[in-house]
Amino acid sequence: MPSFDIPFLGNLLLCSVLVCSAYTFSMCMGAAGKRPHMLLAARYGTYATCALVLAAVCVLAYAFQTHDFRIRYVARYSDRSMHWTYLLTSLWGGQDGSMLWWVFLVCCYTAAVNRWMRGRYLEFQPWVLATLMSIVAFFIATMLFAANPFATYVSAAPPDGEGLNPLLQNYWMTIHPPSLYLGFVGWSVPFAFVVAALATGRLSSEWVLAVRRWAMLAWTFLSIGLTLGMIWSYEELGWGGYWAWDPVENASFMPWLVGTAYLHSAIIQERYGMLKVWNVFLLLLTYFMTIFGTFLTRSGLISSVHSFARSDIGNYFVGYMIALAVGCAALLIWRLPKLKAEHKLQSLLSREFAFLFNNWILLFMMLVVLVLTTYPLATEFFEGEPATVGPAAYNAIMVPIGLILLCLMGVGPMVAWRKATGKNLRRALRYPIATAGAVGAGHLMFGDSLGFPALVDSVAPYDTFAGEVFAAITEICPVASTTLCAFVLGTIFQEFARGTLVRMRKGETWFLAFVTLMSRARRRYGGYIVHVGIALMYFGFTGAAYDVETEGALMPGESLSIEGYRVRYDQSRREVDRNKMAIYADLTIFNESSDKLGTAAPAKFIYHTHREMPTTEVSIRVGARDDLYLIMSTIDPASKRGTFRAIVRPLVVWIWVGFAFLLLGAAISLMPTARELLKGSITPGTRGARSRRRPFDGALDPGGVRAGGAARTVSAPASGSPAEKWSRPSTPMIALLLVSPIGMGPVASAQSSSSSSLHAGSVVIEGDQERILFQRTLCQCGDCARLPMDSCGCSWAENKRAEMRQRLKQGETVPQIMEEYRAQYGRGSIAIPPDSGSGRLMWALPLAIGTFAAVGLCFVGRLWRSRSLEQYRSDGPALEDSTHSDYEAKLEEELRRLEGD
C-alpha cells in the first residue's frame, strides 16, 4: 500500500477498530462468563483498540496538515491559507471529525480505566471494558456507514478547500470543544461501572466509591467546556451575551444537571447506604442524556447556530437510545431486590432530605429544559406548524427555580445529618441570615444611587394572572439574587471559620489550622469553595438586569456617551493577510471627567474563503464593576462614517472569578488524601468497599440567575453575523455554576446565505416596552430565518417596528400587540408560546410536574420517617441524634471522624 494513500489507510484503521473492539467485547463476555483467563486478552484487546483509534486520529490530522483534499471532510473544513493550529481545530470542526474525536476521547478514558483497574475490581473489569467497547463499536459503525471522515470525492479533488467556519478560527475553539467532549465522554466510565454493578449484582457502595473521582472528573470537564463556550460566545459572536437558551446549549446543559444531582445523592449512599435505586437511575440517565444531546446536535432536527447539517446519522442514534433505554430498564428492574436501602430517612429536617430536595430541583430543571427544547418539534409533528420558544419562556420558569436552588445551597450545610432541631438550625443560621438581611437592606436603600436599583421594569407576556405573576417575579429578581448570594457566602464563611477555630483549640495557629482543615477534609471544603464560585457567578449573572445599550453613527472625531463612559471614534484602518481582510475602528475610551481610560479596536474579519460570512470582532474593556462591550456594525468606505453599538454589562467579570473558584474547589475535591497516597490506592481494592463508610459532606450545588436587562437602543448584527440567529441576552439559570454553555460543540454547518446585508443596520428602540415587544416578535420577511425584531435591520422589520411603535403610543399593551401579531403570522412568529391551546399546556406541564414531584417527595419522606424511626434510635450515632449539643461540639466530632478514617 502506498504511504501517501491516506483515505485508504484511514478507512482500513476504522475497520480495524470495529473488528478489534468486537474481539475485545467477546473476550470480556467470556471473562464475565466464568472464563477468567480471557480477561488478560480483553485487557490487551482494549489497548489495541485504543491504539488503532489514536492512529486514525493522527492520519486525519496529517491529512489536514498536508491539505489532502481528496478527502471530502478535509476539503470542506480547511483550506491552504489556514494556520496549522486551526487545521488542528478542523479535526472536530464538522460532524464526521467530531465523531472520530468522540471515539478517541472514549478510548483515552478506556485506556486510563484499564490501567487504573489493574489489580482492582476483578469482578467489574469484564463488564466495564465490554460496556466501553460497545460504545466504541457503535460510534465506529455509525462513522463507517453514515459519517465517514475519510470518505473521498467520486470525481477529481478540488484544488483548494472551502475553509473552516470563520467563527471556529478563534483560540477558544481550540480548547472549548475538547473540554466539552471530555465532559460528555467522561460519563461513559461511571455508566460502565454501574452497568457492571447491575450485571454482577455487587450493588453495595463499592461501585459508588469506584466511580467517585471519575464522575467528579467528568463533571469538572463538562463545567469547563460549558464555561469556555460562554466565553467564546461572549467574545466571538458579537451579540453581547453569553447564554441564549439555544437548543444545542441546552443539549449540553441537561446531562450536566443530572450529573450534578448524582454527585449530591451519591454522598447519602456512601454514608448511609440509602438512595441506591435513585443513584443507579441518575447515572444511567446522565449517560442517556449525553447521547440524547449528541442526537439533538447531529440529527438536524433543531434550528440552532451550533447544530450540524441534517443527516441520516440521527436514525442510528435513535436506535442506540432505544437499545439503551430498554437494556438499562431491564437491568434496573432485574436488580431491584438487591437495591434495598440499608437505612431510611429519619426526619424531613435533615441533610439527607435537603439533598433529596436538591436532586428534585435539579431534575425538575432538566425536565423543564427538555420540554421547552423539544416543544417546537412536538408542535410541528402534531399540529404541522412549529412553535418558537425564546429565552423569555425559559426565564419565566427557570429564574425562580434557580433562586430556590441558591437558597438551598446556603441552608443545606447548616442542617444536621439524620435529624436536626429547629433550635439548632436557627442558631446555625443566625449569622448568615443577618449577613443576607444587611446586604438586602443595603440594596434596597442604596441600589438606586449606585446604579443598581432593587426593582427592574418588566412587562407581562400576556394579559393573564400568570403573566402578571411572571412580571412581578422578574422585577424582584435582582434584590433577591444579591440577598441570597450574601446568605450563601455567609454560610460558607461561617463553616470555614468554625472549622478553623475547632482546630485552633488544639494549639495550632490560624493558618496551620486552616490548611490542616482543608487537607483533612478536602472533599467537604473543596465543595464549599465550589459553592463560593457558584455564589459569585450568580452575582455576575444578576448584573444582566442592569445592562444598558446605545448605538450611534459617528464620523472620525465624534463621540457617543453611555453610563459614565465616552467613546471617541478616531479612525478606521484595513489590514490584509493570507487568510482574511480585517477592518478595524480605533476608539478611545474616556470617563465622565474626560480622563483617558484606554483604547479599543472592534473589527470585522472577512475571510477569503467565506466572504459572505464576515465575523464581528468585539472589543471589551473589563472592569470589576462593569464591562464596556464595543461592536462595530458598519464602516462606510468612502465617508469613513461608522455605526457602533456600545453595551455596558455590569458585574460580568464576577462570572469568570466565580469559575476560577469553581475550578479550585473541584481540584481540591479531586486530590487524594495523604492516607490514600500512602496506601498507594485511591479507592478500595478487589475485595470490596471499606467496611467503615467515609463521611462525605460537601458536594456541589448549582444555580444561576440573570434577569432581563434594560436596553436603550440596539443595532442589528453585521452582515452575515451568526448573531442574527441568536436571541437577545437572556437569563442563564445555569443551575450550579454553570455558567455558560455552548452546546455540544462548535458551529459546524455553513451559515445560510440569507444572512445578508439586507438585515444589518441600526435598530432604534425607545423604552422598555418596545424592547420587550421587539424581543418577543420575530421578523416575517421570509429571508432572515425569523430574526427577532430587535435585531433584524431589513426594511420589512423597520416598517413593522414603526407600526408597533405607533400602536404603543395609542395605548395598546404589549400582550395585545403580540396576540394580534401571532394571529396574523402564525404561532411561529412569537418567541413565547401563547397562553392558550397547546401553548398553555407547555406552560402548565412544568408546573404540574414540579408540584407532583414536590408532593410526592414529602409523602415518601414522611413514609420513610415513620418506618425507620425506631431503627435510627437504636443504631444512630450520638453525633447525628443529639439535639442538645452545640454546633461546635458536633463539628469537632465530625472533624475527628474525618481525620480518623
Side-chain angles (χ1 to χ4, degrees):
M1 181 192 67
S3 60
F4 55 82
D5 197 349
I6 300 300
F8 176 78
L9 178 59
N11 281 290
L12 179 62
L13 286 170
L14 292 183
C15 293
S16 301
V17 171
L18 186 60
V19 172
C20 195
S21 61
Y23 163 80
T24 305
F25 181 85
S26 63
M27 292 297 102
C28 291
M29 290 294 96
K34 309 304 180 183
R35 296 181 179 87
H37 62 279
M38 291 185 175
L39 182 59
L40 184 61
R43 291 176 59 85
Y44 284 128
T46 299
Y47 286 128
T49 303
C50 297
L52 289 170
V53 172
L54 173 62
V57 171
C58 292
V59 168
L60 185 59
Y62 179 77
F64 273 108
Q65 298 294 335
T66 58
H67 306 298
D68 193 339
F69 297 127
R70 294 175 298 170
I71 300 175
R72 286 186 296 177
Y73 182 72
V74 175
R76 290 180 59 192
Y77 295 99
S78 70
D79 61 72
R80 298 184 185 276
S81 66
M82 288 171 53
H83 191 267
W84 71 269
T85 56
Y86 294 132
L87 290 173
L88 181 63
T89 304
S90 299
L91 273 173
W92 51 79
Q95 181 163 268
D96 303 349
S98 66
M99 293 279 287
L100 181 59
W101 187 253
W102 179 289
V103 176
F104 169 68
L105 294 179
V106 171
C107 288
C108 289
Y109 275 108
T110 302
V113 169
N114 196 16
R115 177 69 176 81
W116 174 76
M117 286 193 305
R118 188 177 60 179
R120 298 187 183 97
Y121 304 109
L122 293 178
E123 295 86 352
F124 286 168
Q125 281 190 36
W127 291 100
V128 170
L129 296 179
T131 303
L132 293 171
M133 285 298 101
S134 69
I135 296 171
V136 171
F138 164 72
F139 277 91
I140 290 294
T142 303
M143 279 191 288
L144 285 171
F145 293 103
N148 192 339
F150 296 101
T152 57
Y153 285 99
V154 176
S155 57
D160 198 359
E162 300 176 16
L164 184 65
N165 189 308
L167 292 177
L168 301 187
Q169 300 188 41
N170 174 275
Y171 54 89
W172 290 113
M173 295 309 297
T174 62
I175 56 176
H176 155 54
S179 299
L180 193 63
Y181 286 140
L182 279 169
F184 258 71
V185 174
W187 289 107
S188 302
V189 176
F191 170 73
F193 268 97
V194 74
V195 169
L198 290 169
T200 59
R202 300 175 65 92
L203 291 165
S204 65
S205 294
E206 179 183 12
W207 71 269
V208 176
L209 294 171
V211 306
R212 188 171 62 191
R213 281 186 171 83
W214 293 104
M216 187 66 188
L217 188 67
W219 180 89
T220 302
F221 274 123
L222 187 55
S223 301
I224 293 172
L226 292 174
T227 307
L228 293 178
M230 179 168 67
I231 297 173
W232 170 72
S233 173
Y234 189 57
E235 292 191 359
E236 180 67 16
L237 293 184
W239 64 294
Y242 41 79
W243 178 256
W245 294 112
D246 184 83
V248 181
E249 295 174 344
N250 298 340
S252 299
F253 187 31
M254 288 185 286
W256 182 87
L257 289 171
V258 186
T260 304
Y262 168 76
L263 290 178
H264 287 82
S265 62
I267 300 170
I268 303 177
Q269 180 173 347
E270 188 177 335
R271 188 178 179 106
Y272 294 122
M274 299 167 60
L275 302 183
K276 292 184 177 181
V277 176
W278 183 245
N279 286 328
V280 170
F281 169 74
L282 285 179
L283 260 191
L284 295 176
L285 180 62
T286 301
Y287 178 72
F288 182 86
M289 294 310 297
T290 64
I291 299 301
F292 179 76
T294 309
F295 162 73
L296 276 184
T297 306
R298 287 163 172 77
S299 63
L301 294 177
I302 59 175
S303 176
S304 166
V305 69
H306 301 93
S307 60
F308 296 88
R310 183 180 292 268
S311 69
D312 294 335
I313 198 173
N315 298 330
Y316 293 86
F317 277 92
V318 169
Y320 184 54
M321 287 190 293
I322 292 174
L324 269 181
V326 172
C328 292
L331 280 174
L332 185 58
I333 294 172
W334 177 38
R335 293 301 188 185
L336 275 178
K338 290 193 174 186
L339 289 170
K340 185 178 180 180
E342 299 173 18
H343 298 285
K344 298 295 183 180
L345 190 69
Q346 181 182 2
S347 172
L348 297 185
L349 190 59
S350 63
R351 193 173 300 186
E352 293 94 318
F353 188 77
F355 275 48
L356 279 174
F357 191 34
N358 166 278
N359 272 214
W360 169 78
I361 294 176
L362 290 168
L363 202 61
F364 177 52
M365 295 179 77
M366 188 278 291
L367 289 173
V368 170
V369 175
L370 178 64
V371 169
L372 298 184
T373 302
T374 56
Y375 177 72
L377 298 178
T379 56
E380 183 177 17
F381 181 80
F382 290 106
E383 302 179 15
E385 181 184 7
T388 303
V389 181
Y394 288 89
N395 298 337
I397 303 173
M398 299 293 279
V399 169
I401 302 174
L403 292 176
I404 295 172
L405 197 60
L406 183 61
C407 180
L408 184 63
M409 188 171 65
V411 174
M414 297 290 99
V415 184
W417 288 103
R418 303 185 67 171
K419 185 176 182 179
T421 64
K423 178 181 177 181
N424 287 343
L425 184 59
R426 287 192 299 271
R427 181 175 181 180
L429 289 175
R430 59 185 177 181
Y431 292 117
I433 289 176
T435 302
V439 171
H443 194 169
L444 287 169
M445 291 187 294
F446 306 110
D448 288 341
S449 60
L450 296 175
F452 300 105
L455 302 178
V456 296
D457 294 330
S458 181
V459 175
Y462 297 106
D463 288 328
T464 61
F465 175 75
E468 295 296 333
V469 170
F470 160 63
I473 291 175
T474 303
E475 290 174 358
I476 66 172
C477 278
V479 68
S481 180
T482 53
T483 302
L484 290 174
C485 286
F487 175 64
V488 172
L489 292 175
T491 299
I492 297 168
F493 177 79
Q494 176 176 276
E495 285 291 283
F496 275 102
R498 288 181 167 174
T500 302
L501 288 174
V502 167
R503 295 210 58 89
M504 289 176 65
R505 293 179 188 150
K506 301 179 180 181
E508 299 175 351
T509 64
W510 72 267
F511 180 76
L512 179 61
F514 179 79
V515 172
T516 306
L517 182 75
M518 292 287 295
S519 63
R520 296 286 188 178
R522 291 178 180 174
R523 298 173 68 190
R524 168 188 283 182
Y525 291 100
Y528 287 160
I529 293 175
V530 171
H531 288 181
V532 172
I534 297 167
L536 292 176
M537 289 162 59
Y538 264 101
F539 183 61
F541 294 141
T542 305
Y546 310 108
D547 286 357
V548 177
E549 304 184 14
T550 189
E551 180 270 337
L554 307 175
M555 294 294 292
E558 295 180 342
S559 303
L560 62 81
S561 297
I562 177 173
E563 290 296 304
Y565 294 99
R566 182 170 63 87
V567 181
R568 186 183 68 199
Y569 170 37
D570 297 325
Q571 64 176 359
S572 64
R573 53 189 169 88
R574 178 176 301 185
E575 296 181 4
V576 180
D577 58 28
R578 67 174 188 173
N579 194 27
K580 65 182 180 300
M581 177 179 68
I583 302 174
Y584 292 92
D586 292 327
L587 309 175
T588 305
I589 304 170
F590 302 90
N591 61 16
E592 291 178 319
S593 303
S594 297
D595 297 324
K596 182 178 177 180
L597 300 178
T599 60
K604 293 288 184 185
F605 287 177
I606 304 173
Y607 289 83
H608 302 318
T609 55
H610 291 83
R611 292 185 176 274
E612 76 286 355
M613 292 177 59
T615 63
T616 300
E617 306 298 321
V618 303
S619 184
I620 307 172
R621 183 183 184 276
V622 178
R625 176 186 170 87
D626 53 45
D627 284 7
L628 177 60
Y629 194 95
L630 299 171
I631 307 167
M632 181 187 72
S633 298
T634 59
I635 293 286
D636 189 315
S639 65
K640 304 301 181 184
R641 183 184 183 89
T643 302
F644 301 94
R645 179 182 174 192
I647 308 173
V648 172
R649 304 216 64 193
L651 309 179
V652 173
V653 70
W654 293 103
I655 300 175
W656 322 132
V657 173
F659 175 63
F661 274 93
L662 185 152
L663 286 185
L664 176 62
I668 292 173
S669 299
L670 284 167
M671 287 181 182
T673 63
R675 183 175 292 101
E676 289 171 335
L677 292 175
L678 289 175
K679 288 181 179 179
S681 171
I682 292 179
T683 56
T686 58
R687 294 188 179 182
R690 303 182 183 120
S691 59
R692 181 175 60 190
R693 291 191 185 87
R694 182 182 190 85
F696 179 42
D697 198 13
L700 316 167
D701 282 315
V705 58
R706 175 178 168 200
R712 298 297 177 263
T713 59
V714 183
S715 64
S719 166
S721 169
E724 294 179 353
K725 292 188 178 181
W726 287 64
S727 3
R728 292 252 309 125
S730 65
T731 306
M733 262 324 9
I734 315 201
L736 193 93
L737 40 170
L738 152 119
V739 307
S740 99
I742 274 332
M744 250 299 296
V747 182
S749 58
Q751 302 292 327
S752 170
S753 60
S754 65
S755 296
S756 67
S757 59
L758 292 174
H759 308 283
S762 298
V763 178
V764 179
I765 298 178
E766 302 172 356
D768 290 329
Q769 283 202 329
E770 283 192 13
R771 172 180 56 82
I772 295 172
L773 176 60
F774 296 162
Q775 286 176 4
R776 297 173 180 175
T777 52
L778 307 178
C779 179
Q780 301 298 306
C781 69
D783 191 38
C784 65
R786 294 181 175 180
L787 296 177
M789 293 286 286
D790 69 340
S791 300
C792 189
C794 71
S795 58
W796 190 96
E798 182 58 37
N799 293 334
K800 184 59 68 172
R801 281 192 295 270
E803 176 188 329
M804 292 180 175
R805 185 177 294 116
Q806 184 62 32
R807 294 176 63 181
L808 285 173
K809 291 179 180 179
Q810 293 173 356
E812 293 189 54
T813 65
V814 170
Q816 288 174 342
I817 299 175
M818 287 174 54
E819 181 60 30
E820 184 174 326
Y821 194 84
R822 183 184 68 85
Q824 183 176 1
Y825 298 106
R827 70 169 63 197
S829 62
I830 301 294
I832 298 181
D835 190 17
S836 61
S838 62
R840 179 167 295 176
L841 177 64
M842 190 221 70
W843 289 105
L845 185 61
L847 180 61
I849 294 174
T851 303
F852 176 79
V855 173
L857 185 63
C858 293
F859 175 79
V860 171
R862 294 182 66 86
L863 182 64
W864 285 354
R865 176 181 178 276
S866 63
R867 290 180 176 179
S868 60
L869 185 58
E870 292 301 323
Q871 177 185 358
Y872 273 97
R873 286 175 176 171
S874 62
D875 65 5
L879 168 67
E880 313 303 340
D881 293 332
S882 172
T883 60
H884 303 291
S885 301
D886 63 15
Y887 180 87
E888 288 77 9
K890 289 186 176 184
L891 179 60
E892 187 169 4
E893 177 63 23
E894 184 81 359
L895 292 174
R896 187 179 297 116
R897 293 175 60 193
L898 286 171
E899 295 171 8
D901 186 42

